[in-house]
Each structure stands twice: as C-alpha cells, then as structure tokens.
Amino acid sequence: TVTITARSGCDLLKEGYAFITVERGAVGSVEVSPGVAAVPVGDLVPLNATVKDSEGNPLSGHTVTWWSSAPGVVEVSDTGMLWGVSGGWAWIAATCDGVTGWALAGVPTQGEFVVQAFPGYEVELFGLNNVGQIVGEADYAFILDQQS
C-alpha cells in the first residue's frame, strides 16, 4: 500500500490523500514442464512450474507447492526436483493459489525402458523387436514392460 499526499495553494493548507494497493494477479493456470519425465532410480530430474494469469501471461511472486502421488516411486522437493526411488509411476502436482498443473513421472527399473511419443504414431523400439502404437486421445505413452 502506498500513500500519496498532494498539497495545493501558497500556504499549503489544502491536502488530499490517495491510498493505492497493488495486488498480485489471479492465477489462471500452472504449467509444469516437462509434462512427462523419465526418472531413473537414484537420479534427479528437475521440473519447472510456470504460473500464468487467465490470459496466459506469466506471473511472478507466487509460491508453488509440489506433491507426488507416489512418494515411494518418485519424491519431489519444494523446488520441483524429482528423485527416482523405485520402479513405477507417479503424478506430480504443482499447486499455486488452488490451481494445479500436472506432470507424469515414470521410473524404469533395470530391463525396462520409457518411450514418449505423440498419438497415432508408431514407436519402434530399436534393438528390442517391439513395436508399440499409441491409440486414443492420450498425449503421451509410456511403455515400461519389455517384451521378449
């Protein structure tokens, strides 16, 4: 809050005051990048959260809280750093002022692999003689089960 004082006249007997409060912009969305992450056991992978207003403009000065749906698989720090604990999947949430953005983290174990691709494209897993195809409306596919 700022107070502005204005005086008028030769003898400065007349004054006026205005109080101005500048508020943070309302959060419209939280974008987490990357939206899909592979986190090998014991490794660290950083995520980034961008807080935006309803028009998509980045906002600063907002605090983001991180959460993992499966901390036994992937832990997440207060700064968005992922740590792979054991094989599996976890949703990672970044929340600011009640608005949440999501990322999906996969932790492959030995003999497993992760593939990221777009819908409708075939994915050839070189050297493994496997072909996977993404169907439906999903943006990404993880293939974690190595077939022989």
Side-chain angles (χ1 to χ4, degrees), residues 65-91:
T65 303
W66 294 90
W67 172 80
S68 171
S69 68
V73 174
V74 177
E75 291 183 4
V76 61
S77 73
D78 292 342
T79 61
M81 184 69 71
L82 301 180
W83 181 58
V85 178
S86 65
W89 301 94
W91 285 103

Side-chain angles (χ1 to χ4, degrees), residues 32-38 47 89 102-106 114-116 139-142:
V32 180
S33 61
V36 179
L47 292 181
W89 301 94
W102 297 92
L104 181 61
V114 176
V115 174
Q116 175 182 338
D139 290 330
Y140 297 95
F142 277 85

Side-chain angles (χ1 to χ4, degrees), residues 10 12 14 23 28 38 46 50 53 59 66 71 75 77 88-89 92-93 96 107-108 114 123 125 142-143:
C10 294
L12 301 176
K14 298 182 183 199
E23 296 182 3
T50 303
D53 65 16
L59 297 172
W66 294 90
E75 291 183 4
S77 73
W89 301 94
I92 306 299
C96 180
V107 181
V114 176
V123 178
L125 307 174
F142 277 85
I143 303 169

Side-chain angles (χ1 to χ4, degrees), residues 112-138:
E112 296 179 334
F113 51 89
V114 176
V115 174
Q116 175 182 338
F118 295 98
Y121 286 84
E122 284 194 357
V123 178
E124 184 171 350
L125 307 174
F126 296 101
L128 299 174
N129 292 328
N130 294 324
V131 175
Q133 183 170 0
I134 302 167
V135 295
E137 298 297 319

